[in-house]
Amino acid sequence: MRIFKRLCPAAVFLILFVLINFLLNDALIPYQYPRVKIHTIETQTFDDLVVGTSHSFSAINPEILSSSTGRSCYNASVGSQFPRDTLYLLMDACRSHRPGRIILEYDPAYLVDADRAFVNERYFVQCMAPSFVKLKYFTDCALDSDFRVALMPWIGHRGELNGIRRNLQIKKSDAWKKYGIEPFDDGRQRMTQQGQMRIASSEFNPAPPDLNQFSPDEIQDNLDDLNRVLRFCNREGIPVVIVTTPIPAETRDAHTDYYEAAHKLMEDIAASHDITFLDYAWKGDSRLDDATENYSDLEGHMHEEAADRFSAVLAADLNTL
Amino acid sequence: MLSFVSLGFILFFLLCFAGYYLLPGKMQWIWLLAFSWLYYLLAAGPGLIIFLIYSTAVTWCGGLFAERGFKAAVPVTLLLDFGMLAALKYTNFLVLNLNTIFGTHLSIRTLFLPLGISFYTFQTAGYLLDVTWKRCKAERNFFRYALFVSFFPQIMQGPIGRYDRLSSSLYTAHSFDVNRFQRGLIRILWGFFKKMLIADYAAQYVNTIFDPASAFYAYGIFGVLMYSAELYADFSGGIDIVLGAAEILGITLDENFRQPFFATSITDFWHRWHITLGTWMKDYLFIPLTLSTWMGRFGKWCRKHLGKTTGRAMPVCVANIIVFLVVGIWHGPAWHFIVYGLYNGLIIAVSGLLAKPYRTWKKALHINDKSNAFHLFQIIRTFILVNISWYFDCSETLGQAFRMMRASLHAPFFSVTFVNPEAPGQCLLHFATILSGCAVVFLISILRERNIDVRGRILSLPVSSRVVLLLMFVFILGMLGCYNDFGGFIYANF
């Protein structure tokens, strides 16, 4: 009885903490792309799986790739996907099936930028089905992170009080239960069933890209994670093609050294793993129009029409491999 | 890795705590030692633990030899112990200055600074001197001594422990005590509050203003005020977490802060700020200096040539300047840190020399130095002097410090949103959080200055109130606390 009396307040605290946390998660965390994408790769099989950042998320149309290559394809890219996120995404996918090929989009900013800040991991960890991969992902990423971010995932959206109503509405809807993509259509961009983000041609953000000094020596962690991805694919017998998506000519001209250094780095890594590297950013491609009008910003997020043209070129190049 | 605010540290500590109280009393210190070394391995890496073990071994042996009367034991051990610190921390500084002054072309090496080296080196040196001066007996068991050196909550940023005080709780058996657990937990949460709601937000302003390439260096006055908030909240917050964690394990560590911004003089400030460094300097440097033969001769010379009053004060002044020169050097291998230390030392020295004239002037001006108004004047004066010293502590070079001081005199009007003009609402919220956090800290400081046991008052509340308070606190840390720019603790790099 004495022990019960002592433990009771702690138990009450824990129950209330979990309950309030659950409510805040429900209210503040919006419906996110990773939820749909992770469910898709866990439950379906694909010959080609595209992984990478927001660049490939918008630039690569799996339907066009499929129709040209004759291989089923899914775009599992999401914004802020660092190499470590890619690793665990692939490990999770391989629990249920082994993709025939990985198309790995390489955005140099994600090697240079060391600040991972447990961004995507929160969502990926929440969305993954319980498994050893999920546990490993959590321990690999969360242990170094602020304990609040790990234990209170809503913290990343605490400033989005205006979105509470919409979040709760969506989570009561069929789209949530059936992993639907309708909520992602905001009139300016929408996600397709195959995982591509299609950005309307009217969208443009003129802010210059925030490109840090390219210094691979300082981001060894990210480089190590990228090598872990490539070694994992090699162990699983999954061929990899590394791709850097096109960028506006204006951006390339303003940051020539940056993209040259990024190209050399990836060229070396690809060669060391005996992997094909298709770089459409460094020197552009004569088959593509790299005018700024084809992009929604100077970073390189493509409009839907430009993405379709690029996907056709990419598919043609993949067919030659 | 294993920063105090990381999930990894929380889990690590929970594991340590669970095993600690499940084990029999005799095994508890062994468990702590294992976890302390494991903590250092995980936090610093396997290569750097060698330096910790080296310092432990050298000073343990030195203590045994010193107790047996070997005269060479103390100088040799101190040379080996401080020599390692000097070699790793100050070699490049020495090389750069030799190259500048003498035109040599010595090369700089990439040297790794083991985590906590500035703290454990001083702690082990203190132990050696305590044994030599018979303040405590030498520890015969190497592993018990190793625990004293490497006790994991304190190894990164202090407090600098004393063997005679720490050993009384470090090795004794402890049984779980709910009250002690709650007190420790409250202290840890208080540390998180200061770190997350004040220090990390204030750091955004400090880093922006004190960046050498910054366009905002004229905002120096605002910058040093923010640095006051950041440094105090960061350092004392970290110490609260350390002391709270130790308290949960039944171990009492020395306090390191005592409401420093209520100090009435720079001397008083250093009795309240980083207390264990101050007392270390007093016990192992200042007192031996003032009692030394050469200081005695110097004092005689001063009394003969400068008069009785000044002559008596001079040895203390010189000792203070030397002590604070060492304090400055301890802070880092750079001239701005040395000037920071000398600035403090000179103020204390001059205050000592002018003690008698001050009394005369106060009497002549009919100033009641016991009045509240004078007390407030002293606090504000000290606060201003301390903030001036931050120009030297926070700048990257001496030149930058002076440049910022000059520019501060002509600071333009500005809004606090300059750190992120694209998100003014967020900036205002962060600034409001800093101010609110500081207000709460100020209130708690007043209560503590009046010796009110705040934690005791909280624990006297009904259980339901305590649960609600704890929930509110935890969710405030989540709702308002900074997490995007979390960058570790400042003094964890020493």
Side-chain angles (χ1 to χ4, degrees):
Chain A
M1 188 62 186
R2 207 172 148 199
I3 294 170
F4 175 77
K5 267 191 169 177
R6 281 190 175 179
L7 291 176
C8 200
V12 167
F13 168 80
L14 280 170
I15 291 167
L16 285 174
F17 175 80
V18 169
L19 193 63
I20 296 171
N21 221 20
F22 178 79
L23 291 170
L24 285 170
N25 282 339
D26 215 30
L28 288 171
I29 298 176
Y31 189 28
Q32 295 277 347
Y33 308 119
R35 186 170 188 271
V36 175
K37 298 206 170 193
I38 288 170
H39 174 78
T40 306
I41 65 173
E42 284 180 351
T43 55
Q44 297 179 43
T45 58
F46 301 98
D47 297 322
D48 284 344
L49 195 61
V50 179
V51 287
T53 70
S54 52
H55 290 211
S56 50
F57 191 12
S58 57
I60 298 178
N61 184 337
E63 272 190 70
I64 292 177
L65 251 60
S66 287
S67 62
S68 177
T69 62
R71 299 163 66 92
S72 61
C73 181
Y74 185 74
N75 188 331
S77 302
V78 283
S80 304
Q81 186 178 129
F82 282 85
R84 193 175 297 187
D85 306 315
T86 304
L87 172 68
Y88 286 100
L89 196 67
L90 293 177
M91 286 171 72
D92 194 44
C94 288
R95 286 192 310 115
S96 54
H97 73 282
R98 186 166 290 116
R101 175 169 59 187
I102 300 296
I103 298 165
L104 171 63
E105 180 246 328
Y106 161 61
D107 178 357
Y110 284 84
L111 286 192
V112 179
D113 184 1
D115 181 17
R116 290 172 47 244
F118 197 38
V119 175
N120 260 341
E121 293 129 3
R122 277 203 296 283
Y123 308 125
F124 282 28
V125 167
Q126 280 170 351
C127 302
M128 279 182 178
S131 67
F132 180 67
V133 171
K134 178 169 175 159
L135 178 65
K136 210 163 175 291
Y137 191 10
F138 183 76
T139 52
D140 201 359
C141 305
L143 292 182
D144 281 345
S145 302
D146 189 316
F147 72 89
R148 293 168 298 161
V149 175
L151 300 178
M152 298 187 278
W154 51 265
I155 200 176
H157 301 277
R158 62 190 184 179
E160 297 165 20
L161 301 177
N162 292 341
I164 290 178
R165 200 169 173 188
R166 180 177 150 81
N167 293 339
L168 293 172
Q169 273 169 351
I170 290 174
K171 286 171 188 176
K172 283 184 200 155
S173 68
D174 273 346
W176 170 263
K177 290 169 194 154
K178 294 176 183 171
Y179 300 89
I181 56 171
E182 299 80 18
F184 299 126
D185 186 351
D186 65 2
R188 294 172 303 156
Q189 58 187 33
R190 60 183 179 87
M191 188 169 111
T192 65
Q193 277 303 136
Q194 288 72 35
Q196 185 202 10
M197 173 59 69
R198 294 185 69 78
I199 304 173
S201 310
S202 53
E203 291 302 297
F204 185 70
N205 177 0
D210 183 18
L211 299 177
N212 292 328
Q213 178 92 10
F214 198 86
S215 175
D217 293 338
E218 291 181 6
I219 36 79
Q220 197 55 46
D221 282 352
N222 285 330
L223 278 178
D224 289 345
D225 287 337
L226 179 62
N227 281 306
R228 282 168 76 191
V229 171
L230 300 176
R231 283 197 300 270
F232 170 78
C233 292
N234 186 42
R235 269 200 314 273
E236 296 292 314
I238 307 171
V240 177
V241 176
I242 300 177
V243 170
T244 298
T245 54
I247 51 171
E250 191 180 327
T251 303
R252 184 171 48 251
D253 294 340
H255 302 278
T256 316
D257 293 344
Y258 177 92
Y259 284 100
E260 179 158 356
H263 174 85
K264 282 196 164 59
L265 174 72
M266 190 47 64
E267 206 174 41
D268 291 342
I269 291 175
S272 69
H273 289 275
D274 195 24
I275 284 170
T276 305
F277 173 38
L278 302 172
D279 190 348
Y280 299 94
W282 178 39
K283 288 186 174 174
D285 192 300
S286 55
R287 297 168 291 176
L288 298 166
D289 178 5
D290 54 12
T292 308
E293 292 73 43
N294 293 307
Y295 298 86
S296 64
D297 56 39
L298 291 172
E299 263 193 53
H301 296 99
M302 295 179 120
H303 287 147
E304 49 192 337
E305 294 89 6
D308 290 345
R309 289 192 293 273
F310 167 66
S311 298
V313 167
L314 175 61
D317 288 344
L318 289 172
N319 281 337
T320 64
L321 298 175
Chain B
M1 198 179 172
L2 285 190
S3 162
F4 289 152
V5 301
S6 69
L7 181 67
F9 178 77
I10 306 280
L11 293 174
F12 180 89
F13 181 73
L14 283 174
L15 203 59
C16 177
F17 161 78
Y20 187 74
Y21 285 112
L22 287 172
L23 284 171
K26 284 183 189 174
M27 307 273 303
Q28 284 178 333
W29 72 267
I30 301 171
W31 180 258
L32 277 188
L33 175 63
F35 265 77
S36 296
W37 278 354
L38 178 62
Y39 176 80
Y40 200 84
L41 270 170
L42 293 172
L48 296 179
I49 199 172
I50 292 167
F51 297 97
L52 175 64
I53 295 180
Y54 165 85
S55 186
T56 307
V58 157
T59 49
W60 177 71
C61 291
L64 290 173
F65 280 113
E67 196 176 51
R68 288 179 194 184
F70 285 90
K71 284 193 178 163
V74 172
V76 168
T77 307
L78 287 178
L79 188 64
L80 290 172
D81 200 21
F82 280 111
M84 177 185 71
L85 174 65
L88 292 172
K89 198 168 176 178
Y90 301 102
T91 301
N92 287 336
F93 176 66
L94 187 63
V95 162
L96 278 170
N97 281 282
L98 286 173
N99 288 345
T100 305
I101 297 168
F102 299 109
T104 50
H105 299 285
L106 302 167
S107 56
I108 294 169
R109 294 173 179 276
T110 306
L111 295 169
F112 294 100
L113 199 62
L115 286 176
I117 189 170
S118 299
F119 292 98
Y120 67 70
T121 304
F122 272 54
Q123 186 157 307
T124 50
Y127 161 80
L128 175 71
L129 292 170
D130 281 344
V131 168
T132 309
W133 296 333
K134 299 189 184 346
R135 287 179 188 161
C136 68
K137 287 203 161 115
E139 174 55 64
R140 295 277 184 278
N141 186 320
F142 171 76
F143 294 103
R144 280 165 60 108
Y145 177 67
L147 176 58
F148 163 70
V149 179
S150 61
F151 181 48
F152 78 88
Q154 73 165 119
I155 189 148
M156 290 303 190
Q157 51 180 323
I160 301 171
R162 301 294 182 93
Y163 184 75
D164 54 345
R165 286 202 288 272
L166 199 44
S167 57
S168 60
S169 62
L170 205 52
Y171 310 120
T172 49
H174 298 282
S175 52
F176 179 71
D177 181 279
V178 173
N179 190 54
R180 197 174 57 220
F181 175 84
Q182 289 180 106
R183 289 184 69 92
L185 182 63
I186 292 171
R187 188 134 199 195
I188 290 172
L189 288 172
W190 181 233
F192 286 147
F193 177 88
K194 286 195 265 187
K195 172 67 175 161
M196 293 166 180
L197 270 78
I198 302 174
D200 288 345
Y201 283 131
Q204 294 172 9
Y205 289 101
V206 173
N207 294 341
T208 303
I209 294 170
F210 280 89
D211 182 346
S214 167
F216 303 108
Y217 61 87
Y219 303 169
I221 294 176
F222 180 70
V224 294
L225 289 171
M226 282 292 109
Y227 189 59
S228 274
E230 182 201 355
L231 190 61
Y232 176 63
D234 189 288
F235 196 7
S236 70
I239 292 294
D240 283 326
I241 295 168
V242 169
L243 265 60
E247 189 168 0
I248 286 175
L249 298 172
I251 291 153
T252 308
L253 297 176
D254 291 333
E255 291 289 340
N256 222 14
F257 291 91
R258 187 171 56 87
Q259 297 78 255
F261 293 117
F262 290 170
T264 53
S265 65
I266 293 291
T267 305
D268 189 28
F269 177 79
W270 282 97
H271 289 159
R272 293 166 173 263
W273 177 278
H274 206 169
I275 296 169
T276 55
L277 178 69
T279 52
W280 193 100
M281 291 291 173
K282 185 191 83 177
D283 291 345
Y284 302 115
L285 190 59
F286 179 81
I287 291 176
L289 268 175
T290 49
L291 296 178
S292 64
T293 318
W294 72 267
M295 192 63 91
R297 279 194 231 120
F298 174 68
K300 260 191 193 165
W301 182 91
C302 289
R303 283 194 294 277
K304 189 177 174 186
H305 291 91
L306 303 172
K308 209 172 164 188
T309 310
T310 307
R312 256 200 226 133
M314 277 304 284
V316 173
C317 293
V318 168
N320 271 318
I321 290 171
I322 293 171
V323 162
F324 278 92
L325 174 64
V326 173
V327 166
I329 293 170
W330 181 88
H331 275 79
W335 284 110
H336 65 96
F337 285 128
I338 291 171
V339 170
Y340 165 72
L342 284 173
Y343 168 89
N344 281 277
L346 279 166
I347 290 178
I348 292 172
V350 168
S351 300
L353 281 173
L354 296 177
K356 198 174 173 191
Y358 276 156
R359 282 196 294 274
T360 312
W361 297 338
K362 271 190 278 187
K363 207 173 171 185
L365 294 170
H366 304 289
I367 292 172
N368 177 9
D369 57 10
K370 299 269 185 287
S371 67
N372 287 337
F374 189 74
H375 189 82
L376 185 62
F377 159 73
Q378 287 179 307
I379 290 174
I380 294 171
R381 177 195 63 187
T382 307
F383 186 73
I384 292 170
L385 289 172
V386 165
N387 274 270
I388 293 172
S389 75
W390 295 150
Y391 277 101
F392 300 108
D393 189 31
C394 200
S395 298
E396 290 200 8
T397 63
L398 208 49
Q400 182 192 355
F402 286 120
R403 186 166 57 100
M404 288 184 71
M405 279 183 189
R406 268 198 307 273
S408 294
L409 298 172
H410 310 286
F413 178 76
F414 62 91
S415 159
V416 295
T417 59
F418 69 88
V419 282
N420 190 4
E422 286 162 27
Q426 204 177 62
C427 286
L428 288 170
L429 176 63
H430 293 173
F431 188 66
T433 306
I434 295 171
L435 289 183
S436 308
C438 287
V440 172
V441 169
F442 179 70
L443 284 168
I444 300 293
S445 298
I446 291 175
L447 295 174
R448 290 181 66 176
E449 188 73 359
R450 293 179 180 180
N451 294 318
I452 293 171
D453 181 10
V454 178
R455 286 186 288 168
R457 295 283 176 97
I458 292 171
L459 292 177
S460 66
L461 293 170
V463 171
S464 53
S465 303
R466 276 184 267 153
V467 169
V468 169
L469 207 61
L470 183 60
L471 277 168
M472 271 175 54
F473 204 84
V474 168
F475 283 104
I476 283 173
L477 291 181
M479 263 296 174
L480 294 176
C482 178
Y483 75 93
N484 276 332
D485 297 305
F486 169 70
F489 288 83
I490 297 171
Y491 274 77
N493 296 321
F494 279 64

